[in-house]
Amino acid sequence: MSAEAPQEEGAPFRVGLLGHGTVGAAFEELLAQRADEIARFNGRRPVIVGVLTRSRGSFEEILAESELLVELVGGLEPAREYLLRAIRAGRDVVTANKQLLSHHGEELFETAREHGVRLRFEAAVAGVVPVVRVLEESLSATPIERVHGIVNGTTNFILSEMASGSTYEQALAEAQRIGYAEADPSDDVSGRDAAAKMAIVARLAFGVPVHIDQVRYEGIEHLELDDLEYARELGLGLKLVGTAERRGDGISVRVYPTFLYGGHPLASISGPFNAVTVESGTITEITMSGPGAGGRQTASAVLGDVVSVMTGGARPPAAPLAMPLLEDVESAFYIHLDVADEPGVLAGVTRVLGEHDVSIKSVVQRGMDERARLVMVTHQVLESRLAAAMKKLAEFDFVRSAPRSIRVIEEEFM
Ligand SMILES: NC(=O)c1ccc[n+]([C@@H]2O[C@H](COP(=O)([O-])OP(=O)(O)OC[C@H]3O[C@@H](n4cnc5c(N)ncnc54)[C@H](OP(=O)(O)O)[C@@H]3O)[C@@H](O)[C@H]2O)c1
């Protein structure tokens, strides 16, 4: 607690809990189990002094009773209002709410700085994987160049199933059956959930405020099974990858289905897991991975934040820096073309690609009756140049269906 009188050694540490759903209920249970151990090394035992849901509890009473508030309500309002009121009343706060931080992070950080309170949010990014703390504290002396993340376990599970031969629809149904995907999975499969998390990652890695609407993202709904099959022949595996990187004087934040070569640390992350790779000249590369969601797992990250506040852990992110967000960056691409099997096709394709500065690294060609598939991986090219080339290719009479492209990460660290 920051605004009130210091607590005596041994007094209970009073926690108010907003939200008692999947994570809130698991948090209450975990706190009860761990309270004695926390008291043993902290001197104070955390206790929950009040719980707020739609049908029970009073925010005012919980605020008055608590030293720290844990927000596990989710969504924008009233979560934002509750957190701002708690911070203004001098309470430290912990949240797992990525939507809120990716929309109103700067307002919350600034208010927390003004009032000298702590605002912790480890569970908002990759569940129990300690990405926030590592970026904020362990790597605070390291100039970070790039962060790649698989930050949505639902889509990673679906892509793992597709890599084993399931269609997108079958894989999604399986994810829903097991409970990895919600009945309405649109936030996950559209890439929006990952975009919210990458906005937060970019703020931590580069100090630049990023609103979710500034993150370019694409989901996995339109992927075709044969893209995965051809890519396998080229030594590539498909993941939904979030990227936050420094390019010259600007930064780029984006989420796209992306192919990785086998030697990339994210290539081996399968099933409902999350992983984040941080790259810097100083450290080469660090990868952290683990469960990205689940009530108990998320609750353990939330409780870690509570303990961090109790032990005087980090302040809210420093005042923001100004750096432009780049719209157009270079990437390597996988291109899939369904073409007529006739003379002149390859020459036409390579001419258009050449005119747009797209150079080819590898090609797989397959004949199928009077049609052929051309699958290529390009070298680095500006996204806008590739998009223009794809538009031009679609105009050829010999192109039988809309050309498809998927980004490729070329780096391998093994
Ligand atoms: N679930 C995960 O695996 C996971 C992983 C990482 C992060 N998170 C984040 O953790 C947070 C909580 O997620 P969850 O899955 O636990 O959500 P949830 O199961 O839907 O629970 C939400 C809780 O908030 C309460 N609530 C909702 N609107 C409220 C309002 N207007 N006033 C007071 N209480 C309200 C609900 O009350 P009722 O009980 O009355 O409905 C419920 O207790 C979210 O920000 C989510 O993004 C979740």
Side-chain angles (χ1 to χ4, degrees), residues 19-24 52-55 72-74 78 82 96-99 123 293-294 298:
H20 199 258
T22 308
V23 185
L52 183 77
T53 69
R54 274 180 280 229
S55 57
L72 296 170
V73 167
Y82 286 154
N97 193 331
K98 63 232 156 198
Q99 291 96 344
T298 308

